């Protein structure tokens, strides 16, 4: 039986376990990446592990999220990350160099390698034939310290692409189409693998756009084959030597399959406030647009911005529209500057801002009250733009550019404008933003600790009997943006969990933090796909700081579930989802034998006030059981180190 490409890569990196869907395996991690807003926790944890030089082939610390320096906090975080990078042999990408995923694709991604990143859009590397996985910061710290990562083997969803995209339809429309079909939980527990003759017309950056938004499907990763288009991309980056051809076997068997006819697609948009709320641009109609934002790790590549420049060249942005463009990397901006496209953008009336995440994470450029904002980004969760009542639509760069000209949402296919193809270009990397850790020396490099950087919270051992008061009952698809909001006001406190915790669930329920404090030990009840979205550990660390001991939900998003376990918070699921109705805020949940429950695959919880019983599932792997009993991964690592110290003392 033929093998899928994803399983071939897993197999070549397998350290232990059986490679079958649902099996527990550990794999070798070749590369890691961090970004600054999750990175400070990663590096505090790496320091706490007493690690020496990283065990990976390449680890890179990017600064791209918290680049707005409105006070000392973000700049202190950058200095902290740079100092730790130097201590452990990690490349440091200075602020201004660009967005981690775009930079990693350009400079370090290699087909067939594994990449673990402390950001949910790490799978962007799948566009280059990597197996790239997003994870919580602690998992990335462990991968740097030990070179490995454990996961439950996902099944593989094969998506066959046929046909060819028509002008004005692009990679963004492909992934929006898939999101419309599968929804934001359609990829949970799956690896997505693309194949078919349709691939021939998709460049690496097109593929990266599609792989990037596999995160919105909840998929573990998305993988594309490595072919002549991959070679051409690597050549354009001056890295042809990194090319390796890779593909699934012709008779590969997938757990599920889906077909997408590229020729049949039309320009699409995700309506507010979810990436799977997809409709055609034509159906949505010519709504008036106030802001257009082009950029983010999804759509800020050289070819995306050249398409935009070609549409805008010699024309003028509509008077009502504020057009904001954030290029993906310094290399891209430099190339646009050299070939004149930057001048075309500025002449048309675009505000060109820093090469960074920027507006995608609410770091500036929040639209006006009640605005309609078209964004080429990947998430349009309510309030993420920094403006609670803004209506954010996710669109392709082509749709964004033509709509910026007309001032209304416009289907380019009907616009009468011609679209010129973008010629491939060679642009060598811009190394001048990279600080090399050559000669790294943990002992002789001091950690630069600014006053806003506080220790990460740690849990205590799981008690035998656990009682916790329900401090919130939430619905389906709660995002980590809901749990731990992030914007220009709060991002500077990513290194200060005690402060940040005051704002936990702030946008949906401002009384949450106070209720948890009063409860002493708190519980959260959630619906389906609890914790979807970002990889931010803060969505587990802030609740941990507030005394949350358990989350009982209908189902969990993968990374958030791991982050809860890493923090020693119990993620349990309902055996009968209808029991969600029986639980309300203020009730006390009681587990008689908490240690027994985490080790069993199922058990029960009592509602203390009424004595009613709720059946719950608790399917944890052996390492997860230890983590939960010991109060989190750091405690487990320390315990392991103590055991091996006493074993060697006894020898
Ligand atoms: C996001 O797009 O939501 C983020 C900001 O990049 C997050 C990471 C974070 O919260 O720092 C992600 O995607 O993991
Ligand atoms: Fe940055 Fe936005 Fe990409 Fe997250 S989704 S990494 S905030 S550009």
């Amino acid at each position: 039986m033929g093998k899928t490409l994803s399983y071939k890569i897993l197999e070549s990196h397998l350290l232990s376990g059986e490679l079958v869907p649902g099996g527990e395996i550990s794999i070798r991690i070749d590369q890691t990446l961090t970004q600054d807003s999750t990175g400070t926790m990663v590096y505090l944890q790496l320091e706490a592990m007493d690690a020496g030089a990283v065990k990976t082939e390449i680890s890179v610390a990017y600064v791209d999220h918290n680049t707005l320096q409105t006070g000392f906090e973000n700049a202190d975080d950058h200095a902290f990350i740079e100092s730790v990078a130097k201590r452990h042999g990690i490349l440091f990408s200075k602020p201004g160099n660009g967005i981690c995923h775009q930079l990693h694709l350009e400079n370090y991604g290699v087909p067939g390698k594994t990449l673990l990143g402390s950001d949910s859009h790490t799978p962007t590397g799948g566009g280059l034939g990597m197996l790239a996985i997003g994870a919580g910061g602690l998992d990335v710290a462990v991968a740097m310290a030990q070179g490995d990562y454990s996961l439950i083997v996902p099944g593989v969803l094969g998506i066959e692409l046929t046909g060819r995209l028509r002008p004005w339809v692009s990679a963004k429309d492909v992934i929006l189409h898939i999101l419309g079909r599968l929804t934001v939980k359609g990829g949970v527990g799956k690896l997505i693998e693309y194949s078919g003759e349709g691939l021939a017309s998709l460049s690496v950056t097109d593929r990266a756009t599609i792989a990037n938004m596999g995160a919105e499907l909840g998929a573990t990763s998305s993988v594309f084959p490595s072919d002549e288009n991959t070679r051409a991309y690597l050549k354009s980056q001056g890295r042809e030597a990194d090319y390796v051809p890779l593909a699934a076997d012709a008779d590969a068997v997938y757990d599920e399959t889906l077909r997408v006819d590229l020729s049949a697609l039309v320009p699409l948009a995700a309506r507010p406030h979810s990436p799977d709320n997809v409709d055609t641009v034509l159906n949505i109609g010519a709504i008036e647009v106030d802001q257009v934002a082009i950029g983010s790790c999804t759509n800020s590549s050289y070819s995306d911005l050249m398409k935009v420049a070609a549409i805008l060249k010699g024309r003028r942005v509509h008077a009502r529209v504020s057009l904001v463009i954030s290029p993906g990397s310094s290399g891209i901006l430099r190339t646009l500057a050299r070939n004149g496209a930057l001048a075309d953008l500025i002449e048309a009336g675009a505000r060109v801002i820093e090469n960074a995440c920027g507006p995608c994470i609410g770091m500036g450029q929040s639209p006006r009250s009640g605005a309609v904002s078209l964004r080429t980004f990947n998430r349009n969760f309510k309030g993420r733009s920094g403006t609670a009542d803004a209506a954010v639509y996710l669109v392709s760069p082509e749709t964004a550019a033509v709509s910026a000209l007309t001032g209304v949402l416009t289907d380019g296919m009907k616009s009468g404008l011609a679209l010129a193809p973008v010629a491939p270009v060679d642009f060598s990397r811009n190394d001048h933003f990279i600080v090399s850790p050559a000669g790294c020396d943990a002992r002789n490099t001091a950690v630069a600790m600014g006053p806003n950087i506080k220790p990460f919270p740690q849990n205590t051992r799981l008690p035998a009997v656990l009682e916790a008061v329900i401090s919130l009952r939430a619905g389906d698809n709660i995002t980590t943006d809901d749990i731990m909001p992030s914007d220009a006001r709060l991002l500077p406190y990513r290194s200060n969990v005690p402060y940040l915790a005051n704002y936990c669930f702030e946008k949906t329920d401002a009384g949450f933090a106070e209720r948890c404090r009063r409860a002493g030990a708190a519980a959260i009840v959630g619906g389906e796909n609890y914790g979807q979205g970002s990889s931010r550990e803060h969505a587990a660390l802030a609740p941990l700081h507030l005394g949350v001991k358990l989350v009982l939900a209908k189902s969990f998003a993968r990374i958030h579930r791991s982050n809860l376990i890493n923090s020693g918070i119990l993620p349990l699921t309902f055996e009968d989802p209808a029991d969600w109705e029986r639980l309300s805020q203020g009730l006390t949940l009681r587990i008689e034998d908490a240690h027994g429950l985490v080790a069993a695959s199922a058990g029960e919880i009592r509602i203390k006030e009424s004595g009613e019983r709720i059946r719950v599932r608790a399917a944890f792997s052996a390492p997860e059981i230890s983590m939960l009993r010991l109060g989190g991964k750091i405690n487990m690592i320390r315990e392991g180190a103590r055991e091996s110290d006493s074993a060697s003392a006894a020898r």
Side-chain angles (χ1 to χ4, degrees):
M1 191 171 79
K3 288 182 188 151
T4 62
L5 174 55
S6 327
Y7 276 35
K8 285 188 192 181
I9 303 178
L10 283 173
E11 195 173 64
S12 62
H13 289 80
L14 195 63
L15 295 174
S16 65
E18 209 190 334
L19 190 54
V20 289
E24 272 174 60
I25 56 167
S26 155
I27 56 169
R28 186 165 38 78
I29 294 297
D30 302 319
Q31 305 187 346
T32 62
L33 70 79
T34 59
Q35 42 87 339
D36 50 328
S37 67
T38 55
T40 50
M41 284 297 129
V42 177
Y43 295 116
L44 283 171
Q45 290 154 342
L46 188 67
E47 284 296 326
M49 277 178 230
D50 234 356
V54 291
K55 300 282 191 311
T56 48
E57 293 170 8
I58 286 182
S59 286
V60 193
Y62 296 95
V63 175
D64 53 1
H65 282 63
N66 295 356
T67 56
L68 213 60
Q69 291 157 225
T70 46
F72 62 89
E73 295 87 354
N74 291 342
D76 280 4
D77 283 356
H78 306 166
F80 164 73
I81 294 172
E82 183 172 358
S83 69
V84 179
K86 186 144 202 255
R87 282 164 59 81
H88 300 280
I90 298 162
L91 292 158
F92 177 71
S93 167
K94 289 165 72 176
N97 196 20
I99 307 172
C100 57
H101 307 303
Q102 184 63 43
L103 285 169
H104 208 83
L105 203 69
E106 290 176 2
N107 298 300
Y108 305 109
V110 176
K113 296 276 182 192
T114 53
L115 166 69
L116 195 74
S118 66
D119 189 279
S120 65
H121 291 103
T122 303
T124 311
L128 205 50
M130 304 188 86
L131 183 67
I133 301 177
L138 186 48
D139 289 322
V140 178
V142 171
M144 282 190 269
Q146 300 177 3
D148 62 343
Y149 175 62
S150 300
L151 73 160
I152 303 290
V153 183
V156 184
L157 162 64
I159 300 190
E160 189 192 345
L161 304 175
T162 61
R164 194 188 172 91
L165 294 172
R166 290 177 289 168
W168 292 100
V169 187
S170 71
K172 181 61 154 280
D173 300 301
V174 178
I175 189 65
L176 286 175
H177 168 82
I178 297 171
L179 269 155
R181 277 167 78 175
L182 298 182
T183 82
V184 289
K185 51 187 173 103
V188 176
K190 293 174 196 170
L191 285 166
I192 300 181
E193 192 169 310
Y194 290 87
S195 64
E197 37 108 3
L199 286 173
S201 59
L202 296 179
S203 67
V204 162
T205 50
D206 292 336
R207 297 171 186 184
T209 295
I210 297 171
N212 174 280
M213 285 189 75
E216 278 46 71
L217 292 162
T220 303
S221 192
S222 299
V223 185
F224 281 82
S226 169
D227 56 15
E228 284 308 312
N229 294 0
T230 320
R231 187 206 290 273
Y233 178 78
L234 287 169
K235 190 164 174 231
S236 75
Q237 306 302 317
R239 298 200 292 125
E240 196 179 359
D242 285 339
Y243 173 66
V244 195
L246 290 174
D249 291 334
D251 57 345
V253 178
Y254 296 95
D255 300 288
E256 286 169 73
T257 53
L258 194 80
R259 261 179 152 227
V260 177
D261 177 6
L262 301 179
S263 329
L265 298 182
V266 295
L268 298 171
R271 293 175 185 266
H273 297 285
S274 179
D276 62 358
N277 200 1
V278 175
D279 204 342
T280 64
V281 167
L282 271 189
N283 277 348
I284 298 171
I287 48 171
E288 286 192 356
V289 172
D290 304 280
Q291 183 191 54
V292 174
I294 298 175
S296 91
C297 56
T298 316
N299 280 119
S300 61
S301 65
Y302 172 75
S303 57
D304 280 345
L305 298 192
M306 283 304 290
K307 279 189 270 184
V308 169
I311 296 168
L312 296 183
K313 190 178 165 84
R315 301 190 171 96
R316 189 184 181 144
V317 170
H318 190 277
R320 186 179 42 246
V321 175
S322 171
L323 170 64
V324 182
I325 299 180
S326 37
S329 74
S330 57
I332 294 170
L333 181 58
R334 186 181 56 177
T335 315
L336 297 178
R338 283 189 177 150
N339 70 13
L342 181 61
D344 296 336
L345 296 173
I346 295 170
E347 207 167 286
R351 301 168 70 178
V352 180
I353 59 169
E354 198 177 12
N355 314 313
C357 299
C360 178
I361 189 58
M363 264 284 167
Q365 307 299 328
S366 297
R368 70 160 176 82
S369 297
V372 168
S373 175
L374 303 188
R375 299 179 159 214
T376 66
F377 308 165
N378 46 38
R379 291 183 174 145
N380 58 346
F381 302 143
K382 196 167 171 24
R384 184 176 160 102
S385 66
T387 304
D389 61 359
V392 175
Y393 292 74
L394 304 177
V395 296
S396 70
E398 291 88 332
T399 302
V402 68
S403 305
L405 293 176
T406 58
V408 292
L409 179 64
T410 303
D411 178 334
M413 282 173 125
K414 312 278 176 211
S415 68
L417 292 181
L419 251 196
V422 176
V425 66
D426 287 359
F427 60 106
S428 56
R429 52 211 278 185
N430 184 5
D431 275 348
H432 294 180
F433 280 89
I434 295 286
V435 181
S436 151
C440 79
D441 180 356
R443 255 183 243 129
N444 293 316
T445 311
V447 177
M449 277 288 219
N452 183 49
I453 303 176
K454 306 288 181 219
F456 57 92
Q458 288 178 67
N459 214 332
T460 48
R461 282 169 178 259
L462 183 69
V465 178
L466 182 64
E467 272 192 12
V469 181
I470 301 176
S471 297
L472 184 85
R473 188 183 71 163
D476 291 347
N477 293 322
I478 289 295
T479 69
T480 51
D481 283 29
D482 296 323
I483 305 171
M484 197 57 260
S486 284
D487 52 26
R489 182 185 49 119
L490 291 179
L491 276 163
Y493 298 98
R494 283 294 186 92
S495 316
N496 185 346
V497 175
Y499 179 84
L500 202 60
N502 295 320
Y503 300 91
C504 197
F505 278 108
E506 185 212 19
K507 290 190 174 148
T508 37
D509 183 344
F512 174 78
E514 193 39 44
R515 278 202 301 281
C516 287
R517 287 200 181 95
R518 270 202 313 273
I524 295 170
V525 173
E528 298 284 2
N529 202 24
Y530 180 83
Q532 69 154 332
S534 91
S535 68
R536 73 189 65 140
E537 264 176 330
H538 304 76
L541 295 176
L544 165 63
H545 177 80
L546 294 172
V548 172
K549 300 290 176 201
L550 91 108
V551 182
L552 176 56
K554 292 182 187 171
S555 65
F556 287 91
R558 176 185 65 90
I559 307 179
H560 186 60
R561 178 182 177 277
S562 297
N563 285 340
L564 289 172
I565 297 173
N566 286 349
S567 309
I569 299 176
L570 252 61
L572 300 172
T573 52
F574 290 99
E575 205 161 279
D576 177 3
D579 282 343
W580 181 89
E581 298 286 349
R582 294 163 61 196
L583 299 177
S584 49
Q585 199 176 298
L587 292 175
T588 306
L589 299 177
R590 182 177 165 90
I591 306 176
E592 287 306 334
D593 174 12
H595 286 248
L597 176 66
V598 296
S601 55
E604 58 182 36
I605 289 188
R606 282 226 323 271
I607 301 174
K608 194 175 171 194
E609 288 78 1
S610 63
E612 281 174 79
R613 288 161 203 277
I614 306 275
R615 295 284 309 162
V616 296
R617 291 222 175 93
F620 299 117
S621 67
E624 288 174 345
I625 295 170
S626 309
M627 273 183 248
L628 288 170
R629 285 181 169 171
L630 295 169
K633 192 164 194 154
I634 283 278
N635 292 354
M636 186 176 87
I637 293 170
R638 288 197 175 127
E639 197 83 4
R642 262 197 295 276
E643 273 167 23
S644 69
D645 283 353
S646 47
S648 46
R651 254 185 261 127

